[in-house]
Amino acid sequence: MSSVADAHGRDADRHHPDLVHHFESLPAQKEAATFGMWVFLVTEVMFFGGLFLAYTIYRNLYFHAFVQSSRHLNLTLGAVNTAVLICSSLTMAMGVHSSALGRRRATVAWLLLTVALGSVFLGIKAVEYKDKFDHHLVPGERFQAEELHLEGEESRPAQIFYALYFAMTGLHATHMVIGIPIILFIAWMAHRGRFSPEYHTPVELTGLYWHFVDIIWIFLFPLLYLIGRHH
Amino acid sequence: MSEHIVSPGVYVAVFVALMVLTAGTVFAATVDLGMWNTPVALLIAVTKAALVVLFFMHVKYSSRLVALAVGGGILWLLTLIAGVAADYLTRNWVGTPGT
Amino acid sequence: MTTQIGPGESGPPRPPVPPAPAEAPPPRVNYLNVAYGVKSWLLTTDHKRIALLYLAGVTLMFFLGGAFAVLIRLELVTPAGDLVQSETYNKLFTMHGIIMVFFFLIPSIPAVLGNFLIPLMIGARDLAFPRLNLASWYIYMIGAAFTIFVLVSGGVDTGWTFYTPYSTTYSNTHVVAAGLGVFITGFSSILTGLNFIVTIHRMRAPGLTWFRLPLFVWAHYATSLIMVLGTPVIAITLLTVVLERTLHLGIYDPRLGGDPVLFQHLFWFYSHPAVYIMILPAMGVVSEVVACFSRKRIFGYEVVAMSSLAIAVIGFLVWGHHMFISGQSTYAGLVFSFLSFLVAIPSAIKVFNWTSTLYKGSVSYDTPMLYAIGFVGLFTIGGLTGLFLAALGLDVHVTDTYFVVAHFHYIMVGGAIMGYLGGIHFWWPKITGRLYPEMWARVAAVIVFAGFNLTFFPQFILGYLGMPRRYHAYPEEFQVLNVMSSAGASILGLGYLLPMIYLVWSMRYGPRASANPWQAKGLEWQTASPPITENFERQPVVSEEAYAYAPEEEARVV
């Protein structure tokens, strides 16, 4: 059945090992993968979007409680973490750049540096979380609003602020916890020489994901840490 | 599509801009700008995000299709927020049925 | 140049007489017999096999959800709540809703027919991401497993809408597991939509421009946009409900100043467009079927294609019409009411254009066409009563009554399921390589149509008279209409069982189908039935418009 064998498309012109059978060419395959990643990131925007919406509504309804709650967040740690994450975005961009040039060792080094910076971010985040637990600022029955200088009716929405704080930063941190092993895996593949200037799509897609996580934090930082700091 | 290699110089320049804007947003938050504190903070955040999207994520060098996906995502998020805000902002204009 | 063909020789030839056994074709390699064994199915990345895996999954869930409908209708035969207790009844309609909406209607046409047909229709070898496609089926099955766990461990009673604060604070049933089940299956929907969007953008055959695409593909493109843009919002919504129950997050808790109406906004931002996830693919099926059995290009093809996109986009702007009495602002209600009327425009465009396609076509009434015509009628009733409900003032009167129940069942059952069954019949020869028994299929189609109307039309009247939904007991004067509805449901159930039986029968005993038994246009009919794993022997090249049905084509023997 020669015609069936034909349809397998395994003829001589199309033998690049990274080209899967249903694509015409490597660039077409890469275009599709990149576009698919972007569509995925759009779904992520909408996923976080629900929380950003809740934040917008409650911040307008309970502005004072949000200001008082926000001031209890550690501005220094938040700012340092923002810088750390921006650094990790730079190292990730350099990692993708190195892989596009086929520089194997540089790729691995930049990716590992990205993982290190991501871990620093998560470490600082853990310190901040612990502080909130110590001060009973975790939503629930034992929530205490005294330290926020809120009383009576006004103290209740502070729980909503902290609920959103934990939900938004927690979801963001979850994305980083998922991202770090992926980067490690990609670094291992790079170390094994799986990528080339013609084929390094996995590195690029991982980069897109990591930059997206960075963008979420770029919005979380001013929204959560910088409300009413000037009073 | 031939691939566009961005020079590391561009990345470093974007990185410096992001760091400066981060310092700027922290500084702006400590100054009393009246009603403008929040818009300034948001404007800086949007600028930073745009820099990351355009340069680190290569949208400046990508196909129009990718740009369309990015724009569509932003538009839909704004639709969600605008529709719900339309309810909350007008809720006290007149009494709602049943209250 | 259109020549009217006389009624005698009109339409596609009847399914050809099966070839005599003596000249049966030699076994040919196709996607079904290329490999055997459980592993070859569970690890397949062939979109056609994954479609069949989905077919098995959604069929199972359909009959599960149907079992709950049977119990509901049995309870409602008598005015007294005497068959089950009210708590049990709450669980019955909740499980019916969750299973039918999230595990049958939403995946049914896209994940089964879309999965099978989109690569074939656009001349591609597979979807853009075959492994992701398989992963989405597993994710669906995990979500279904959660739901079945809920079912056997005592159920959930919040209604499929999971409204807060009941779901977050008061319900003592398995809200967390049910919410997670829907959360998980949502990702299967997202990945399917993502795969379709990339595939339709990037994998079309040479010459297949956007305005040569079959309308089925256009409809699935619009559907995929909704899946991708809407589903993440229901995911985060249900996640916050789960977190609120487990960790006392408090976002929707009125005691803290949280607003349950915010939950409704988030819920309906997805769940209203989700209705279009159900109906748009069915509209795609109807477009294919109407063109084929009228032997005509769809009237106003471009407008019908664009109306799919318009429905997807406008459908995102109307969610507030589910919340007219929720405490939402009256002004927002006005805007949402007005925008809801706008959806009627692209919907009506479709109905008028299908009807215009029939005009002077050579129409034949094979089973798929019966379902398609049934769809047009029932969808029109469902759509027009939707306009009643979009009208702010009237909606206050009929909110949460059986009028609403009847309305959305006309769209979902009369629309989506009729489209699904029509599509299954139309492409059954392509999927299985066998013809189904036409006579039985027509009988079943008529039974479904009659049973459906007997079930749900009385509910319009019940609702208008004031019978609220979700109660297991009701005043005696409503009994006659309820008995009619329950009687209709049993007829409808028979109508659904029949295809189940004869389709399974035909897989073994049905006559073999030729590559193109309906003489239909479209690339999927240009390859063998069933297709080979790679879909086409050679890369097809498209040089004509969609639905180029013309008299001279009729004469050519394929």
Side-chain angles (χ1 to χ4, degrees):
Chain A
M1 299 201 89
S2 63
S3 56
V4 173
D6 232 351
H8 279 284
R10 298 289 185 201
D11 34 302
D13 299 343
R14 312 174 68 250
H15 68 279
H16 193 285
D18 296 311
L19 179 63
V20 290
H21 78 282
H22 57 290
F23 280 104
E24 279 299 303
S25 63
L26 270 179
Q29 184 180 335
K30 182 182 167 169
E31 271 284 310
T34 310
F35 180 48
M37 189 65 195
W38 274 104
V39 175
F40 173 73
L41 293 183
V42 168
T43 72
E44 288 274 30
V45 168
M46 298 308 290
F47 190 58
F48 277 95
L51 292 175
F52 277 102
L53 168 69
Y55 172 89
T56 309
I57 298 300
Y58 290 128
R59 176 189 162 128
N60 282 301
L61 285 177
Y62 307 115
F63 187 65
H64 183 60
F66 268 49
V67 168
Q68 291 304 105
S69 306
S70 168
R71 288 164 72 89
H72 199 277
L73 296 179
N74 189 325
L75 178 58
T76 313
L77 288 182
V80 168
N81 245 353
T82 309
V84 168
L85 212 51
I86 292 173
C87 287
S88 84
S89 249
L90 176 69
T91 56
M92 177 50 95
M94 291 307 296
V96 175
H97 180 72
S98 307
S99 74
L101 295 177
R103 295 180 187 153
R104 199 164 112 189
R105 293 185 57 186
T107 308
V108 176
W110 285 118
L111 290 178
L112 292 181
L113 197 54
T114 309
V115 169
L117 288 164
S119 308
V120 169
F121 178 95
L122 288 174
I124 293 177
K125 203 74 230 151
V127 171
E128 289 190 73
Y129 275 8
K130 179 168 186 308
D131 180 68
K132 298 301 159 254
F133 275 87
D134 290 346
H135 288 90
H136 293 283
L137 289 172
V138 179
E141 285 181 8
R142 299 178 64 190
F143 187 87
Q144 288 175 5
E146 286 78 25
E147 278 195 55
L148 306 174
H149 309 290
L150 291 167
E151 285 169 5
E153 283 291 304
E154 290 213 303
S155 67
R156 292 189 204 157
Q159 284 204 49
I160 294 189
F161 176 86
Y162 276 98
L164 287 168
Y165 168 78
F166 277 105
M168 294 168 102
T169 59
L171 196 62
H172 176 259
T174 307
H175 277 75
M176 296 189 65
V177 169
I178 294 169
I180 286 173
I182 294 176
I183 301 176
L184 283 173
F185 178 68
I186 295 292
W188 182 71
M189 281 172 78
H191 174 71
R192 297 280 305 268
R194 283 286 288 109
F195 304 125
S196 62
E198 294 81 46
Y199 177 75
H200 56 280
T201 314
V203 190
E204 292 204 356
L205 300 191
T206 312
L208 288 178
Y209 176 81
W210 193 256
H211 294 310
F212 170 79
V213 173
D214 186 23
I215 289 176
I216 293 294
W217 184 259
I218 282 175
F219 282 98
L220 289 184
F221 174 61
L223 292 180
L224 296 172
Y225 288 77
L226 297 180
I227 317 173
R229 287 281 175 181
H230 53 275
H231 291 307
Chain B
M1 193 185 75
S2 66
E3 185 172 342
H4 190 282
I5 305 265
V6 186
S7 86
V10 173
Y11 289 141
V12 173
V14 170
F15 169 74
V16 171
L18 289 172
M19 293 303 251
V20 170
L21 285 168
T22 304
T25 195
V26 174
F27 172 74
T30 56
V31 183
D32 191 351
L33 300 173
M35 62 166 289
W36 292 100
N37 275 93
T38 305
V40 167
L42 281 176
L43 190 69
I44 294 176
V46 167
T47 311
K48 287 166 75 180
L51 285 173
V52 174
V53 167
L54 288 175
F55 294 98
F56 283 174
M57 300 171 92
H58 297 172
V59 168
K60 189 172 174 358
Y61 317 105
S62 300
S63 61
R64 290 209 343 246
L65 188 57
V66 167
L68 189 70
V70 177
I74 295 168
L75 186 68
W76 245 252
L77 178 60
L78 293 178
T79 305
L80 169 64
I81 292 176
V84 177
D87 169 19
Y88 284 87
L89 293 177
T90 61
R91 213 179 261 186
N92 296 321
W93 285 7
V94 290
T96 44
T99 55
Chain C
M1 195 179 88
T2 50
T3 313
Q4 183 83 23
I5 300 172
E9 71 241 38
S10 77
R14 298 283 157 257
V17 184
E23 45 186 296
R28 191 180 54 82
V29 176
N30 62 49
Y31 81 100
L32 289 170
N33 64 12
V34 70
Y36 293 96
V38 174
K39 208 175 139 193
S40 78
W41 282 89
L42 292 183
L43 296 178
T44 183
T45 53
D46 181 354
H47 66 101
K48 300 181 288 301
R49 284 189 162 212
I50 295 170
L52 292 191
L53 292 176
Y54 263 116
L55 178 63
V58 301
T59 305
L60 171 72
M61 293 313 266
F62 176 71
F63 281 101
L64 264 183
F68 286 105
V70 167
L71 292 173
I72 291 170
R73 282 321 318 171
L74 270 179
E75 166 63 73
L76 293 178
V77 169
T78 55
D82 43 12
L83 181 68
V84 294
Q85 293 180 321
S86 51
E87 290 84 357
T88 313
Y89 186 76
N90 291 347
K91 292 175 180 172
L92 292 183
F93 69 69
T94 303
M95 294 309 296
H96 171 69
I98 289 177
I99 291 175
M100 284 303 200
V101 169
F102 294 111
F103 294 93
F104 176 72
L105 286 163
I106 286 174
S108 61
I109 300 184
V112 178
L113 293 173
N115 226 334
F116 194 97
L117 292 166
I118 286 176
L120 284 164
M121 284 182 165
I122 65 171
R125 289 158 186 253
D126 206 321
L127 289 174
F129 311 115
R131 280 179 297 180
L132 200 64
N133 195 20
L134 179 65
S136 79
W137 180 72
Y138 277 101
I139 294 170
Y140 168 80
M141 293 307 282
I142 293 169
F146 267 79
T147 305
I148 291 172
F149 163 76
V150 170
L151 197 153
V152 296
S153 63
V156 58
D157 68 348
T158 58
W160 75 279
T161 46
F162 293 104
Y163 267 20
T164 56
Y166 183 70
S167 62
T168 48
T169 313
Y170 302 108
S171 172
N172 288 320
T173 53
H174 294 275
V175 179
V176 171
L180 285 177
V182 175
F183 174 81
I184 292 167
T185 199
F187 286 95
S188 130
S189 186
I190 289 174
L191 296 180
T192 301
L194 188 157
N195 225 334
F196 286 176
I197 289 177
V198 177
T199 305
I200 296 169
H201 267 285
R202 288 276 160 232
M203 321 253 326
R204 281 171 283 129
L208 189 55
T209 58
W210 280 90
F211 282 108
R212 286 177 176 175
L213 284 174
L215 290 165
F216 182 87
V217 178
W218 271 106
H220 274 77
Y221 184 73
T223 307
S224 305
L225 289 180
I226 303 173
M227 287 172 158
V228 161
L229 291 166
T231 318
V233 178
I234 191 83
I236 193 71
T237 312
L238 291 174
L239 192 62
T240 48
V241 167
V242 168
L243 291 177
E244 191 137 350
R245 267 186 88 88
T246 51
L247 303 175
H248 305 287
L249 207 59
I251 294 179
Y252 308 120
D253 188 347
R255 287 172 302 185
L256 302 178
D259 186 4
V261 176
L262 180 65
F263 168 86
Q264 297 186 22
H265 275 296
L266 285 163
F267 180 84
W268 289 113
F269 182 80
Y270 166 75
S271 295
H272 187 76
V275 176
Y276 302 113
I277 295 180
M278 305 170 200
I279 201 73
L280 275 170
M283 290 169 159
V285 170
V286 170
S287 292
E288 299 298 315
V289 170
V290 166
C292 175
F293 292 97
S294 311
R295 315 309 298 165
K296 270 180 72 186
R297 180 176 159 83
I298 288 285
F299 180 82
Y301 163 92
E302 290 85 355
V303 188
V304 177
M306 286 299 119
S307 67
S308 289
L309 289 185
I311 287 174
V313 171
I314 302 172
F316 265 108
L317 308 176
V318 303
W319 74 86
H321 68 218
H322 294 269
M323 302 162 57
F324 285 154
I325 60 146
S326 69
Q328 172 186 243
S329 135
T330 314
Y331 290 93
L334 279 173
V335 174
F336 281 125
S337 174
F338 173 72
L339 289 170
S340 302
F341 280 96
L342 290 186
V343 188
I345 297 171
S347 309
I349 286 175
K350 283 186 187 289
V351 169
F352 287 133
N353 285 23
W354 290 321
T355 316
S356 311
T357 306
L358 298 176
Y359 179 68
K360 287 196 176 173
S362 63
V363 181
S364 54
Y365 297 96
D366 297 86
T367 310
M369 189 62 162
L370 292 181
Y371 281 111
I373 292 173
F375 173 99
V376 175
L378 299 180
F379 172 74
T380 304
I381 295 176
L384 287 175
T385 50
L387 289 178
F388 295 19
L389 294 167
L392 200 45
L394 185 56
D395 182 71
V396 173
H397 175 62
V398 291
T399 289
D400 281 344
T401 67
Y402 266 86
F403 193 87
V404 178
V405 175
H407 155 69
F408 71 72
H409 279 91
Y410 263 78
I411 298 290
M412 294 181 184
V413 184
I417 298 185
M418 295 287 272
Y420 174 70
L421 286 175
I424 288 283
H425 283 87
F426 187 51
W427 284 290
W428 191 253
K430 184 54 63 184
I431 295 171
T432 62
R434 301 281 185 163
L435 298 171
Y436 58 83
E438 181 67 29
M439 194 273 291
W440 281 104
R442 288 189 199 191
V443 168
V446 172
I447 291 178
V448 166
F449 185 81
F452 173 83
N453 281 299
L454 186 56
T455 310
F456 291 105
F457 201 84
Q459 296 186 6
F460 277 127
I461 304 167
L462 278 171
Y464 197 76
L465 294 175
M467 177 162 164
R469 66 193 285 201
R470 296 183 169 176
Y471 282 82
H472 77 319
Y474 54 85
E476 282 190 12
E477 60 262 38
F478 293 145
Q479 189 173 13
V480 173
L481 288 165
N482 269 302
V483 168
M484 281 170 75
S485 183
S486 293
S490 53
I491 297 174
L492 186 60
L494 175 70
Y496 288 146
L497 276 176
L498 272 177
M500 185 73 196
I501 295 165
Y502 65 70
L503 287 178
V504 170
W505 175 88
S506 77
M507 282 178 357
R508 188 167 178 87
Y509 302 104
R512 288 190 187 278
S514 66
N516 190 359
W518 309 114
Q519 308 294 302
K521 295 291 170 180
L523 286 179
E524 79 270 29
W525 301 107
Q526 312 280 312
T527 187
S529 303
I532 55 172
T533 302
E534 293 76 14
N535 290 348
F536 299 95
E537 304 275 340
R538 275 176 197 76
Q539 173 67 58
V541 177
V542 180
S543 59
E544 61 178 16
E545 307 302 307
Y547 316 116
Y549 291 103
E552 53 268 36
E553 296 286 337
E554 295 290 297
R556 191 201 296 167
V557 179
V558 180

